[in-house]
Each structure stands twice: as C-alpha cells, then as structure tokens.
Amino acid sequence: MTGITRIKSELIPPVDLKLTFRRCHNAMYRQGIDSEDVALDMTRVILAKIEDESSSKEECEFHITPEEYADKAARKVACNRVRKLFDDVRDRYLDVFSPTEEITSSDTQLAIVISQ
C-alpha cells in the first residue's frame, strides 16, 4: 500500500450518477446477491457515503486504493471503514434501523462498489 489519503476537497463530482449506480448494482447482482438484498445494501452503502461526505473530517473514509483493492487483507480494511460508516448511521437512527442491521455484501462485492 502506498498510504494514499483521499481528501474531500479533491473529490470529483460524478458525471453520470445513474450510470454509477447501475454499475454498482450490477457488480453486486453478478456476485450472487438477490435483488432485494442488492437494493438494501445499495441504500446502506449510499448512506455510508453520505455519512463520510457530511462529516467534519477532511480525510475520506469511503475509498479504496488500487493497492487495497488488489490485496485481500487490505481490501478487508477498506471495506470495514465503509461498514463502520454505515454502523455510525445505524446507531444514530435506532428508530429507523435494527441494531444488528449491516452491509451484507462480501468484501469483494463491496470493494467493487467502493471503487466506483
């Protein structure tokens, strides 16, 4: 790993958000998640992304470097950063989410989505 840090001020707005969502959905669906679970996990991932972008920290937690993507152990670390973001949302809105609700995608599936 190179230790690359993603800074919010360096984020580039997506050109075609609908296409990005479609690629994420297809990546999860191809990996064997059924349609209902894909929709729920996509919602959880989007909430994790919003949580990251709305935090006061300048460093992004919602990212995966090429080195993290290529290495199984590092990929797990990157995916756990994103899972933690959703956990923070879940824990803040216990009237909306079950205390055990979580992102259920595998690290491989989630890494593909994070990389989009």
Side-chain angles (χ1 to χ4, degrees):
M1 265 173 65
T2 63
I4 296 172
T5 302
R6 302 289 186 226
I7 306 298
K8 289 181 186 175
S9 59
E10 297 173 358
L11 291 175
I12 300 167
V15 175
D16 186 347
L17 199 51
K18 187 175 178 181
L19 178 61
T20 300
F21 286 151
R22 184 176 297 125
R23 282 195 310 247
C24 292
H25 172 274
N26 291 343
M28 295 171 93
Y29 190 77
R30 277 194 299 266
Q31 294 293 323
I33 299 178
D34 72 37
S35 186
E36 182 179 337
D37 290 340
V38 169
L40 290 172
D41 257 9
M42 283 297 299
T43 301
R44 294 175 187 127
V45 170
I46 291 167
L47 289 170
K49 178 69 170 160
I50 292 168
E51 177 74 6
D52 185 44
E53 289 193 15
S54 63
S55 80
S56 59
K57 293 191 277 183
E58 179 60 15
E59 291 181 17
C60 295
E61 298 292 324
F62 193 106
H63 73 277
I64 189 165
T65 65
E67 294 82 9
E68 288 172 320
Y69 190 88
D71 178 79
K72 187 175 182 178
R75 187 179 325 130
K76 181 171 220 37
V77 170
C79 291
N80 285 341
R81 281 195 308 261
V82 172
R83 287 188 173 98
K84 168 83 170 71
L85 289 166
F86 174 73
D87 291 350
D88 292 345
V89 172
R90 177 200 65 207
D91 294 346
R92 194 167 51 253
Y93 297 102
L94 290 174
D95 56 327
V96 176
F97 300 104
S98 157
T100 59
E101 190 163 343
E102 61 186 10
I103 294 173
T104 59
S105 300
S106 70
D107 289 343
T108 300
Q109 294 161 330
L110 187 54
I112 292 168
V113 173
I114 297 168
S115 71
Q116 297 297 310

